Every structure is written in structure tokens, then in C-alpha cells.
């Protein structure tokens, strides 16, 4: 269940100490899940979720697009027990930045291949920053990196992406940057983003850095 029963925003890392977050597909809304569990509502042990939900978990962008563009909508089985343990990281397909952040469920998160993520940085950096003030975003190396090489994580940190995944098995400049970044805060694995990446009225744009508190 959500920490302290909070159904409006993500908890702080301090509140999540000693807890495990599970990312995956989830049937329905978190609010309904809590209500149904509280009243002891009997539910089916197996859910059906659409291919679109399944596609949100597919890392290979070409395969994911093929699934999403399929004319026939297929369902896949999802165990209720597995759905129930997904609280703060429900995988959803990214719908763009047009939808107001306030209308998005705070527990929904999207994954982006590096190709998609860097395109969003180039075309809509302020929108990406605003999105990441409320939602979690995960980025990962492109499937074409068969040599397990890495991309530069800095551009994605600069728009507030929280989970910037790299191939840890490959050393190099990118991993040096990554390890250097997380030497902060006592090697805890968590570094607080600067205020201009947390405020929803921020005017920061990493593509055109002008005078502001980020220059201090």
C-alpha cells in the first residue's frame, strides 16, 4: 500500500528506506485497488491487460511499435498478486507532453530508449523537465548497442530524468560520469535534483542556458 496512505504524490526517498519498488504492469487505478482491498472485495486472480499495456514493458522500440500498431488487439494474462505489488511504478505508454501534468497519475512511469529520450530533449526540453517534476522517467541504451556501449547520461540528467540506465558491464567515460555523480550523498544511490529541475514553474532550458540560479 502507499506510504502513509498518500494517494496524491510520490513519497520521499527517506520514506522509502527499507522498501522495494516493483515496476511493471498494473490493472486499473491505484485508488481503486486500495478501496477494493479495504472492503475485502473478491476479485479474479488473473487479469487481462491489453497489448498496449504489455508494450510499455518492451525495451526494443521496433518490437514495441509493431505490437502497438497491430490491427488485432490481444490480451495477455496478469496475475492479481503481481498487479497488486506494483504501487509507484506502473508502466504506461508515453502519450506526449500535451496532457497537463496534473492530470497524470503520479504513480505512472514511462520508459524511453536513448533515441527517443534524446529526441525529446532536443525538441521539448522544457516539457520533459515539467513532466519529470511529477512523473518518474526511465531511459535505457538502444537495442542496437550490441557491444554494450553507453550513451552520455548528462543530457538526460539535465531534464530531470530520475532513472538513467547504463550498461554497467562496460567501463569508459560514461560510466566514470555515472559513478562520479553518485559519489555524492554518501554513495547512497540517490542525489537530489537541483531546485530548478523540481519546480513546476522553472524556466530552465538546457539547450539555451541563460542567466539564472543554475549559473551559481
Amino acid at each position: 500500500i502507499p506510504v502513509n496512505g498518500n494517494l496524491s504524490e510520490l513519497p520521499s526517498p527517506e520514506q522509502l528506506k527499507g522498501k522495494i519498488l516493483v515496476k511493471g504492469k498494473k490493472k486499473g487505478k491505484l485508488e481503486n485497488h486500495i478501496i477494493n482491498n479495504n472492503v475485502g472485495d473478491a476479485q479474479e486472480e488473473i487479469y487481462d491487460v491489453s497489448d498496449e499495456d504489455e508494450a510499455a514493458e518492451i525495451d526494443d522500440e521496433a518490437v514495441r511499435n509493431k505490437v502497438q500498431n497491430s490491427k488485432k488487439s490481444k490480451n495477455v494474462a496478469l496475475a492479481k498478486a503481481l498487479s497488486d505489488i506494483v504501487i509507484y511504478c506502473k508502466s504506461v505508454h508515453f502519450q506526449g507532453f500535451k496532457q497537463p501534468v496534473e492530470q497524470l497519475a503520479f504513480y505512472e512511469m514511462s520508459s524511453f530508449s536513448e533515441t527517443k529520450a534524446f529526441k525529446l530533449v532536443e525538441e521539448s526540453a522544457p516539457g520533459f523537465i515539467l513532466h519529470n517534476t511529477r512523473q518518474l522517467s526511465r531511459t535505457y541504451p538502444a537495442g542496437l548497442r550490441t557491444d554494450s556501449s553507453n550513451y552520455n547520461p548528462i543530457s538526460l540528467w539535465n531534464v530531470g530524468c530520475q532513472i538513467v540506465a547504463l550498461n554497467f558491464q562496460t567501463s569508459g567515460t560514461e560510466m566514470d560520469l555515472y559513478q562520479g555523480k553518485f559519489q555524492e550523498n554518501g554513495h547512497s544511490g540517490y542525489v537530489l535534483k537541483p531546485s530548478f529541475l523540481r519546480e513546476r514553474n522553472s524556466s530552465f532550458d538546457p539547450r539555451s542556458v541563460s542567466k539564472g540560479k543554475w549559473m551559481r
Side-chain angles (χ1 to χ4, degrees):
I1 61 175
V3 176
N4 297 330
N6 190 334
L7 292 173
S8 60
E9 62 183 2
L10 292 168
S12 69
E14 179 69 25
Q15 292 174 305
L16 290 174
K17 278 185 177 179
K19 296 179 172 58
I20 297 173
L21 298 182
V22 178
K23 172 182 175 290
K25 299 177 289 294
K26 183 176 184 66
K27 178 67 174 179
K29 297 181 178 181
L30 177 62
E31 300 89 326
N32 294 338
H33 160 71
I34 301 302
I35 293 172
N36 290 337
N37 278 0
N38 286 342
V39 299
D41 183 35
Q43 298 186 34
E44 294 292 332
E45 291 301 313
I46 299 293
Y47 295 130
D48 282 340
V49 293
S50 70
D51 266 347
E52 182 175 354
D53 298 322
E54 175 71 6
E57 278 295 281
I58 299 175
D59 280 352
D60 188 291
E61 193 163 10
V63 176
R64 183 170 62 249
N65 289 337
K66 183 177 180 181
V67 171
Q68 291 169 344
N69 294 330
S70 175
K71 292 182 179 180
K72 293 184 178 180
S73 176
K74 300 178 181 179
N75 289 331
V76 293
L78 173 64
K80 176 182 181 297
L82 180 56
S83 174
D84 286 351
I85 62 175
V86 177
I87 305 298
Y88 293 121
C89 301
K90 177 183 178 180
S91 299
V92 297
H93 178 60
F94 178 64
Q95 302 289 345
F97 297 133
K98 293 183 179 180
Q99 185 177 7
V101 173
E102 292 76 12
Q103 293 181 10
L104 299 173
F106 70 93
Y107 52 84
E108 294 179 341
M109 68 175 293
S110 300
S111 294
F112 307 89
S113 71
E114 62 172 285
T115 305
K116 176 68 172 178
F118 284 125
K119 182 178 181 182
L120 290 173
V121 171
E122 183 63 29
E123 297 178 353
S124 309
F128 212 169
I129 291 173
L130 177 61
H131 178 84
N132 288 328
T133 61
R134 179 175 166 85
Q135 313 301 127
L136 292 176
S137 292
R138 165 183 168 261
T139 67
Y140 56 88
L144 294 177
R145 289 186 181 272
T146 55
D147 59 349
S148 293
S149 58
N150 282 307
Y151 56 89
N152 190 322
I154 292 179
S155 292
L156 301 177
W157 288 333
N158 283 348
V159 291
C161 291
Q162 298 88 350
I163 305 173
V164 181
L166 297 184
N167 288 311
F168 270 50
Q169 69 271 30
T170 305
S171 60
T173 302
E174 295 80 10
M175 275 305 302
D176 289 344
L177 289 168
Y178 199 100
Q179 292 172 340
K181 177 76 169 178
F182 290 98
Q183 283 185 357
E184 300 179 46
N185 200 19
H187 295 264
S188 66
Y190 170 79
V191 176
L192 181 66
K193 293 192 291 187
S195 60
F196 57 83
L197 290 178
R198 292 182 279 122
E199 298 166 349
R200 296 186 186 175
N201 61 349
S202 175
S203 59
F204 176 67
D205 186 341
R207 302 166 305 172
S208 179
V209 179
S210 57
K211 186 177 180 180
K213 54 186 172 182
W214 44 84
M215 299 292 288
R216 297 172 186 172

